[in-house]
Amino acid sequence: MKKIFRYTSIALLGAVLASCSTVPVSGRRQLSLVSDDQIQEQAAVAYKEFLTDSKTKVITGTSNAALVKNVGNKIAAAVNRYLAAEGIAQQFNFNWEFNLVESSDVNAWCMPGGKVAVYTGILPFTANEAGLATVMGHEIAHAIARHSMEQMSNQYAVQVGAQVLGVATSGKSSLLQGLVNNAYGIGGQLALLKYSRSNESEADQLGLVFMAMAGYNPESAVSFWERMASAKAASSTPEFLSTHPSDARRINDIQKLIPKAMEYYKK
């Protein structure tokens, strides 16, 4: 029994090591046990259902709606150029979409494949174009870093446990679909996957670089997060900050990351 356990553990470790991918910019290795293409397909369905849901009011024809699309497209174009220069653009064949949604919630998100929603409730805190770029750069970073895939891979690893062969079984597709459905609420109101604090910190890092690549001064990110910290102190925690690092730590970390991000801004 001990030998079986040892061999199973070795096999499981080998499977995990062979199922890793690298996050652009940060260079961190992450667990990759589920298909990112399948996640993107399911996320596209969920995004469409969200936009067409009777409870969702998509804002069009306004200056704010145009700003959301303009900032999003500028960041996406900059990210695409970076990925192409790194020779990895084929790994991120995103069909970008950017929409402004009427909601008092202080929130924004980006689903796998580049499906972005910005809620009107966060606009008073973005305050200007650079503030909006801070938010959208951060959310786009979640998609580029494949944080959804990583979280689902972690859940998948827990569900299959030590059953190493289960990773390659035909039931993988159905399990993946279940994970995506649970994360994105397909067939009902959108319920986004919660990222870990380490994922949120990494999204801050990549987000600063992405906004800088698009021509936005990353130093402006500090002002935005200070405004968000004030909102958090004045009321209950906004959804946008629910799983994020503490305000003081986040701002301090961002200030340390700015010099590196400025290298991309100066280019």
Side-chain angles (χ1 to χ4, degrees), residues 1 35 43 49 70 76 121 133 148 150 157-158 174 181 191 208 243:
M1 180 63 71
S35 168
E49 290 190 358
N70 181 54
S148 291
E150 183 176 5
V158 170
S174 59
N181 287 352
L208 287 174
T243 58

Side-chain angles (χ1 to χ4, degrees), residues 1-17 161-165:
M1 180 63 71
K2 289 183 178 179
K3 287 185 178 181
I4 293 175
F5 178 77
R6 182 170 69 251
Y7 294 150
T8 300
S9 298
I10 292 173
L12 180 59
L13 177 60
V16 170
L17 292 175
Q163 299 175 14
V164 180
L165 295 179

